[in-house]
Amino acid sequence: MTLQDVADAVGLSVNTVSRALAGKSQVSERTRDTIRAEAARLGYVPNSHARSLVSGRTMVIGLVITNPSNPFYAALISAVEQRCRRSGYSVLLLVTEESEANEGEAVQQLLTYGVDGVIAIPVQHNGDSWSRLVAAKIPVVFVSRDLPDFGFDFVGIDAEAGVAEAVERVAAGIDRAWLFEEDLRISTTEARIAGFRRALDSSGIDQQRSLVIKVQTRRAAGASQPWRPDDAHQMAANLITAQNHPDLIVAGNDYFALGILKALRECGLSVPGDVLLVGYGDHPFAAYLDPALTTLRLPAEEVGTTAVDYLLERVADPSSPRRTQLLRPELVERGSSRRSA
């Protein structure tokens, strides 16, 4: 079916049918509804390639993420897709698995498809691939992690402030704290560590007796699966056995917290009686643990919708000034950090 077929069926010109199907205001609502109904009956599908030749746009946004098993990224994908769909855009999803080589291939696909813009979580080990999009004048918005030298718009989480707030909120009576973090050299990990150390200083917690523990995860090897509790479980059990337990443990994600909770119980320690426990991410199981997990809830939907808004504004006006926004996570206090009076 072609536009001419639809026009013949409704007895109107091709131009009128085209404007109606594109949602142009020059066509009355009644006529637009009639044309759309007839187009649907005939099975007419717009030719996106022909439309892009006329408009100069593909109406496709590229979304590049590192790992879809991360619950935050899964929520981000949904938010981006919904916002793009409401704006008439489709989404091309590409996954890099923390691999520079995969990131380079993803950028090549973005160039091949000729997307109108890109929302991306960069691997951060080497940003050379992104310079190809700069050269092609394809606008980019980074989310979660930034490479500020490129001057792209950025929407992220203020992880440093969030972790600092969480530690400071429970700091009374704490002499020693541990932070279990993912062993990846990325800005989000560094921000959580910075927030942890900042809170130790501001709360008077002993820096020398406190630890930042790097947990090697399966994501570091590029496997597509979520963090697992056993990533942190055995390491926590070994440390607790080898030395005195801390008063507070902060986990860089709720999966780590789940494994740490098991390790504490195996060592005869109670939460929150002996050790306070704080997670990060507010994953769906966090509220159903015993005790329920105090954690930081991340505004994934707001990050996604803000990134789409920034990108579409950049597509419309490439010369506008760079914008950055850090969104504050919400501390959700539950039983794992509440000591009995």
Side-chain angles (χ1 to χ4, degrees):
M1 290 292 115
T2 66
L3 274 176
Q4 186 64 61
D5 295 322
V6 179
D8 291 343
V10 294
L12 296 169
S13 70
V14 169
N15 284 341
T16 299
V17 169
S18 177
R19 288 195 296 270
L21 294 177
K24 303 290 185 174
S25 59
Q26 298 96 321
V27 182
S28 71
E29 184 175 349
R30 180 177 179 181
T31 300
R32 190 183 303 123
D33 290 343
T34 299
I35 291 171
R36 285 176 174 171
E38 190 62 21
R41 186 187 72 80
L42 293 173
Y44 169 75
V45 178
N47 185 319
S48 60
H49 178 66
R51 185 174 58 187
S52 68
L53 290 175
V54 174
S55 67
R57 294 182 182 173
T58 62
M59 302 304 292
V60 176
I61 296 299
L63 176 58
V64 182
I65 64 167
T66 57
N67 192 295
S69 59
N70 182 329
F72 170 75
Y73 292 161
L76 177 75
I77 292 169
S78 178
V80 168
E81 194 280 330
Q82 289 182 49
R83 192 67 152 203
C84 284
R85 179 157 29 93
R86 286 198 295 269
S87 301
Y89 281 83
S90 299
V91 175
L92 172 65
L93 177 63
L94 300 167
V95 179
T96 64
E97 301 292 3
E98 301 289 355
S99 162
E100 292 177 44
N102 291 347
E103 187 172 77
E105 291 176 8
V107 169
Q108 179 60 48
Q109 290 185 63
L110 295 170
L111 291 167
T112 300
Y113 280 97
V115 296
D116 292 332
V118 177
I119 295 170
I121 300 161
V123 172
Q124 281 195 316
H125 301 159
N126 184 338
D128 290 349
S129 298
W130 301 107
S131 61
R132 301 179 64 194
L133 296 181
V134 175
K137 297 183 179 179
I138 295 176
V140 178
V141 175
F142 280 147
V143 294
S144 187
R145 310 174 188 175
D146 196 11
L147 292 169
D149 289 347
F150 286 98
F152 296 150
D153 295 321
F154 174 65
V155 185
I157 301 291
D158 195 346
E160 179 175 346
V163 171
E165 178 192 2
V167 174
E168 289 164 355
R169 186 72 64 89
V170 301
I174 301 297
D175 294 320
R176 188 182 186 206
W178 291 353
L179 170 65
F180 282 75
E181 257 308 337
E182 188 174 16
D183 190 21
L184 280 180
R185 294 180 293 105
I186 55 177
S187 58
T188 46
T189 296
E190 293 168 357
R192 286 192 293 267
I193 293 172
F196 177 73
R197 288 179 170 152
R198 188 177 92 191
L200 296 184
D201 281 338
S202 64
S203 304
I205 300 171
D206 193 336
Q207 287 267 11
Q208 299 301 316
R209 298 178 64 224
S210 298
L211 298 175
V212 174
I213 299 139
K214 292 295 187 72
V215 181
Q216 186 171 6
T217 67
R218 291 157 183 78
R219 291 206 321 136
S224 179
Q225 53 187 317
W227 307 287
R228 291 185 175 182
D230 59 325
D231 288 332
H233 166 255
Q234 196 58 54
M235 185 172 286
N238 292 341
L239 282 168
I240 293 166
T241 302
Q243 53 185 288
N244 292 332
H245 66 81
D247 305 299
L248 166 67
I249 295 179
V250 180
N253 62 73
D254 289 348
Y255 289 95
F256 284 2
L258 183 56
I260 292 165
L261 179 61
K262 181 181 180 187
L264 289 168
R265 286 177 172 163
E266 290 172 346
C267 293
L269 299 170
S270 69
V271 176
D274 297 310
V275 181
L276 305 183
L277 182 61
V278 175
Y280 187 89
D282 196 28
H283 300 326
F285 61 81
Y288 297 93
L289 298 178
D290 185 17
L293 181 65
T294 292
T295 184
L296 285 154
R297 180 178 296 156
L298 309 182
E301 180 177 347
E302 189 177 358
V303 170
T305 54
T306 302
V308 174
D309 291 346
Y310 278 13
L311 184 62
L312 296 186
E313 289 170 16
R314 177 69 60 186
V315 169
D317 181 11
S319 65
S320 59
R322 179 183 190 246
R323 289 188 292 180
T324 65
Q325 180 154 355
L326 287 179
L327 301 170
R328 187 77 171 258
E330 176 190 357
L331 179 62
V332 182
E333 295 187 78
R334 299 189 179 107
S336 70
S337 68
R338 292 174 178 158
R339 284 201 173 111
S340 301

